[in-house]
Amino acid sequence: MHANVHVISDATGQAHFKALHDPFWVRWSLVGVAVGFIVLFLCVPLGLVLYQAFSKGWQAYWTALAQPDAIAAMQLTLVVALITVPLNTVFGIAAAWAITRFEFWGKSLLTTLIDLPFSVSPVISGLIFVLMFGAQGWFGHWFSAHDLKIIFAVPGIVLATLFITFPFVARELIPLMQEMGSEEEEAALSLGASGWQTFFKVTLPNIKWALLYGVLLCNARAMGEFGAVSVVSGHIRGVTNTLPLHVEVSYNDYDVIGAFSSASILASLAIVTLVLKSFLEWKQART
Amino acid sequence: MTQSNIMPGFRPALAYTLFYLGLVVLIPLSTLVFKSLQLGWGEYLDIITNNRVVSSFRVSFGTSLIAALVAGVFGFVIAWVLVRYPFPGKRFLDALIDLPFALPTAVAGVILATIFQPSGMLGKWLMSSLGVQVAYKPLGIVVALIFIGIPFVVRTVEPVLQEFDTTMEEAASSLGATRLQVFAQVIFPNIFPALLTGVSLAFARGVGEYGSVIFIAGNLPYVSEIVPLLIITKLEQYQYAGATAIALTMLLVSFLLLLFVNLLQLWARRRSGQI
């Protein structure tokens, strides 16, 4: 009887070991599939940008980037990001403060509405501003009577980008501040700190990594947005072309070096974003 | 409610949130609804049932569905490998998964078109060895949408796999299950809601995607013309009514998808709560 039990436990011990681990061949063929897919779909494209950009040498690369249209596109992209990212950051902080520190009616509806731009196609995000401010739009007459251009001009690009990047900061902050709770802030307040002191000395240090994370993603999207901006920009070279639009225009003109030199700048931006993102995730995991 | 007695800034924070939300998101989006209300039912149905419009919806939904399913298979394998197996270079590959999120879509589009065009690196090989042309065909749209969809699947499945309670595997195997049975009857059913959520997110994103698709699609009406491109074409021809009607239809479909995803997540949470 005793021996019998022993045998059974031994047998199950064996099965236990086998059924918990994938066979060697399964393990390595799955790793092979995954790595192969990532290399083919993600590494090769990145390498190709550089290969194409430098296919005629350094000189051609720098000449393409120094073109007035390319420089204007870079400047416009920077200006758009410099306007939209701070605005959406301030909004994200205000929204997270209101939603996570107070109870009020309609709160979950508000949270859903903040995420709304994520589920709208980029092209539709551009279209709505054309419907509003275009020649036939709601405010079109008023603006054209006052000689203000919104559509096919920089303000339209800024508005469309604001819409597209609207949720990024808020959606990083809301879950974090919800989880943190407000005990530390309440302690500061009850010790006599003012509202702003509490925010800058207690809240901000606690949320800084998540805040930077949101700002990083917001900025990457603001600089890289294509569909929405394409609808409202009008593609006027040197005036309303952002860097992604410059890539498109150059590519359609068979200007390979022009397209891929600008694309290489945007790809570097993406890589810097990914590196910083990993760093911020590591930082946040430690706090 | 008690905390609102001491925490400051409720009124200004909420007021600013509502004001900014209205100004940047709600008022612009409402133009789409009001513009559509100006159309009669007859006019709306005429636009939507037009052959070219129906074809573009078929192209967009068809390619997005195939791409989401393919991304589902590969995304699941990648998530599984990244969570379960140690191997060199894993952290690097894991960080690279988010590339399609970070890379501007126009750049992705230009690159994929260059790789898969008949004279391109992979395009030439696929043409000569398999006789398949990818670029400028609906297949090209599928390839672009797989690229866009993969991080949605990996990033939804990965955390669920990580938190998966391995004691359930141990229990099943100690009761005599084989590895395949453990996977098919214990692991997979628990991961399935997350996988379905990831696939739905990839599908929803694919339907609205524009930048990465138009360079590789060929954009032939009735064959490889996607809905977002048709909206832009209508706009360029000053057919505002047409663009609005198509856009509204697409927006309603996205909201239905969003609702579906939310229900899925509710289901997933109930499931994991029960077990």
Side-chain angles (χ1 to χ4, degrees), chain B residues 196-201 204 255-267:
Chain B
L196 201 57
T197 307
V199 169
S200 311
L201 287 173
F255 288 164
L256 283 179
L257 277 170
L258 191 72
L259 188 70
F260 177 68
V261 168
N262 283 339
L263 289 176
L264 270 180
Q265 278 166 341
L266 200 69
W267 176 48

Tab-separated table of all heavy atoms in Angstrom, chain B residues 196-201 204 255-267:
chain	number	residue	atom	x	y	z
B	196	LEU	N	-9.002	38.091	-28.173
B	196	LEU	CA	-10.107	38.626	-28.971
B	196	LEU	C	-10.158	40.153	-28.870
B	196	LEU	O	-10.417	40.850	-29.861
B	196	LEU	CB	-11.432	38.021	-28.487
B	196	LEU	CG	-12.593	38.069	-29.468
B	196	LEU	CD1	-12.230	37.384	-30.770
B	196	LEU	CD2	-13.824	37.419	-28.859
B	197	THR	N	-9.884	40.684	-27.677
B	197	THR	CA	-9.836	42.138	-27.505
B	197	THR	C	-8.740	42.739	-28.382
B	197	THR	O	-8.960	43.716	-29.090
B	197	THR	CB	-9.559	42.502	-26.030
B	197	THR	OG1	-10.515	41.836	-25.210
B	197	THR	CG2	-9.663	43.993	-25.809
B	198	GLY	N	-7.558	42.126	-28.341
B	198	GLY	CA	-6.439	42.620	-29.149
B	198	GLY	C	-6.769	42.588	-30.630
B	198	GLY	O	-6.510	43.555	-31.358
B	199	VAL	N	-7.368	41.477	-31.085
B	199	VAL	CA	-7.726	41.356	-32.500
B	199	VAL	C	-8.770	42.414	-32.875
B	199	VAL	O	-8.683	43.041	-33.932
B	199	VAL	CB	-8.239	39.924	-32.805
B	199	VAL	CG1	-8.859	39.848	-34.190
B	199	VAL	CG2	-7.098	38.927	-32.695
B	200	SER	N	-9.749	42.649	-31.981
B	200	SER	CA	-10.776	43.667	-32.280
B	200	SER	C	-10.160	45.054	-32.353
B	200	SER	O	-10.533	45.868	-33.206
B	200	SER	CB	-11.859	43.668	-31.209
B	200	SER	OG	-12.306	42.379	-30.973
B	201	LEU	N	-9.221	45.349	-31.448
B	201	LEU	CA	-8.563	46.654	-31.482
B	201	LEU	C	-7.776	46.832	-32.785
B	201	LEU	O	-7.817	47.888	-33.410
B	201	LEU	CB	-7.622	46.813	-30.286
B	201	LEU	CG	-8.285	47.027	-28.924
B	201	LEU	CD1	-7.242	46.988	-27.814
B	201	LEU	CD2	-9.036	48.348	-28.896
B	204	ALA	N	-10.312	47.465	-35.519
B	204	ALA	CA	-10.864	48.822	-35.474
B	204	ALA	C	-9.846	49.836	-36.002
B	204	ALA	O	-10.181	50.743	-36.763
B	204	ALA	CB	-11.277	49.174	-34.051
B	255	PHE	N	-17.775	53.084	-33.321
B	255	PHE	CA	-18.354	53.126	-31.975
B	255	PHE	C	-18.926	51.772	-31.584
B	255	PHE	O	-18.809	51.337	-30.441
B	255	PHE	CB	-19.423	54.212	-31.879
B	255	PHE	CG	-18.837	55.594	-31.881
B	255	PHE	CD1	-19.619	56.707	-32.122
B	255	PHE	CD2	-17.481	55.795	-31.644
B	255	PHE	CE1	-19.070	57.978	-32.129
B	255	PHE	CE2	-16.922	57.054	-31.648
B	255	PHE	CZ	-17.720	58.151	-31.897
B	256	LEU	N	-19.553	51.084	-32.561
B	256	LEU	CA	-20.069	49.747	-32.274
B	256	LEU	C	-18.923	48.815	-31.896
B	256	LEU	O	-19.031	48.007	-30.974
B	256	LEU	CB	-20.823	49.199	-33.494
B	256	LEU	CG	-22.223	49.782	-33.705
B	256	LEU	CD1	-22.863	49.198	-34.959
B	256	LEU	CD2	-23.105	49.520	-32.487
B	257	LEU	N	-17.805	48.936	-32.630
B	257	LEU	CA	-16.630	48.114	-32.328
B	257	LEU	C	-16.112	48.408	-30.931
B	257	LEU	O	-15.753	47.513	-30.173
B	257	LEU	CB	-15.524	48.382	-33.346
B	257	LEU	CG	-15.618	47.620	-34.656
B	257	LEU	CD1	-14.602	48.153	-35.652
B	257	LEU	CD2	-15.367	46.145	-34.403
B	258	LEU	N	-16.086	49.714	-30.590
B	258	LEU	CA	-15.606	50.136	-29.266
B	258	LEU	C	-16.481	49.538	-28.171
B	258	LEU	O	-15.985	49.029	-27.153
B	258	LEU	CB	-15.637	51.662	-29.194
B	258	LEU	CG	-14.942	52.301	-28.006
B	258	LEU	CD1	-13.444	52.183	-28.153
B	258	LEU	CD2	-15.342	53.761	-27.893
B	259	LEU	N	-17.782	49.564	-28.411
B	259	LEU	CA	-18.733	48.992	-27.455
B	259	LEU	C	-18.463	47.505	-27.287
B	259	LEU	O	-18.430	46.969	-26.179
B	259	LEU	CB	-20.157	49.227	-27.980
B	259	LEU	CG	-21.296	48.875	-27.034
B	259	LEU	CD1	-21.342	49.864	-25.893
B	259	LEU	CD2	-22.626	48.873	-27.779
B	260	PHE	N	-18.231	46.820	-28.430
B	260	PHE	CA	-17.938	45.393	-28.439
B	260	PHE	C	-16.682	45.107	-27.614
B	260	PHE	O	-16.654	44.192	-26.791
B	260	PHE	CB	-17.769	44.931	-29.887
B	260	PHE	CG	-17.384	43.492	-30.038
B	260	PHE	CD1	-18.275	42.482	-29.703
B	260	PHE	CD2	-16.137	43.134	-30.531
B	260	PHE	CE1	-17.926	41.153	-29.849
B	260	PHE	CE2	-15.779	41.805	-30.678
B	260	PHE	CZ	-16.676	40.818	-30.333
B	261	VAL	N	-15.640	45.939	-27.805
B	261	VAL	CA	-14.386	45.747	-27.065
B	261	VAL	C	-14.618	45.929	-25.567
B	261	VAL	O	-14.123	45.156	-24.747
B	261	VAL	CB	-13.308	46.728	-27.582
B	261	VAL	CG1	-12.101	46.740	-26.643
B	261	VAL	CG2	-12.859	46.335	-28.973
B	262	ASN	N	-15.414	46.938	-25.202
B	262	ASN	CA	-15.697	47.168	-23.786
B	262	ASN	C	-16.442	45.990	-23.161
B	262	ASN	O	-16.152	45.588	-22.037
B	262	ASN	CB	-16.513	48.446	-23.598
B	262	ASN	CG	-15.639	49.676	-23.736
B	262	ASN	OD1	-14.422	49.590	-23.587
B	262	ASN	ND2	-16.247	50.800	-24.036
B	263	LEU	N	-17.398	45.429	-23.919
B	263	LEU	CA	-18.123	44.253	-23.430
B	263	LEU	C	-17.180	43.070	-23.271
B	263	LEU	O	-17.259	42.307	-22.305
B	263	LEU	CB	-19.266	43.901	-24.383
B	263	LEU	CG	-20.449	44.875	-24.386
B	263	LEU	CD1	-21.472	44.478	-25.440
B	263	LEU	CD2	-21.105	44.925	-23.009
B	264	LEU	N	-16.253	42.924	-24.241
B	264	LEU	CA	-15.261	41.852	-24.172
B	264	LEU	C	-14.433	41.952	-22.900
B	264	LEU	O	-14.168	40.962	-22.222
B	264	LEU	CB	-14.301	41.963	-25.357
B	264	LEU	CG	-14.639	41.226	-26.631
B	264	LEU	CD1	-13.561	41.486	-27.667
B	264	LEU	CD2	-14.740	39.746	-26.357
B	265	GLN	N	-14.011	43.194	-22.584
B	265	GLN	CA	-13.165	43.375	-21.412
B	265	GLN	C	-13.924	43.079	-20.130
B	265	GLN	O	-13.379	42.535	-19.180
B	265	GLN	CB	-12.563	44.780	-21.408
B	265	GLN	CG	-11.342	44.831	-22.307
B	265	GLN	CD	-10.878	46.213	-22.635
B	265	GLN	OE1	-11.634	47.176	-22.496
B	265	GLN	NE2	-9.654	46.347	-23.081
B	266	LEU	N	-15.210	43.435	-20.151
B	266	LEU	CA	-16.069	43.133	-19.006
B	266	LEU	C	-16.149	41.622	-18.822
B	266	LEU	O	-16.011	41.092	-17.718
B	266	LEU	CB	-17.465	43.712	-19.280
B	266	LEU	CG	-18.357	43.940	-18.070
B	266	LEU	CD1	-17.796	45.069	-17.231
B	266	LEU	CD2	-19.780	44.261	-18.517
B	267	TRP	N	-16.344	40.924	-19.956
B	267	TRP	CA	-16.426	39.470	-19.964
B	267	TRP	C	-15.114	38.879	-19.435
B	267	TRP	O	-15.118	37.975	-18.598
B	267	TRP	CB	-16.699	39.003	-21.396
B	267	TRP	CG	-16.718	37.524	-21.589
B	267	TRP	CD1	-17.387	36.627	-20.807
B	267	TRP	CD2	-16.064	36.772	-22.606
B	267	TRP	NE1	-17.183	35.357	-21.309
B	267	TRP	CE2	-16.377	35.418	-22.401
B	267	TRP	CE3	-15.253	37.117	-23.695
B	267	TRP	CZ2	-15.899	34.401	-23.232
B	267	TRP	CZ3	-14.782	36.113	-24.526
B	267	TRP	CH2	-15.099	34.775	-24.285
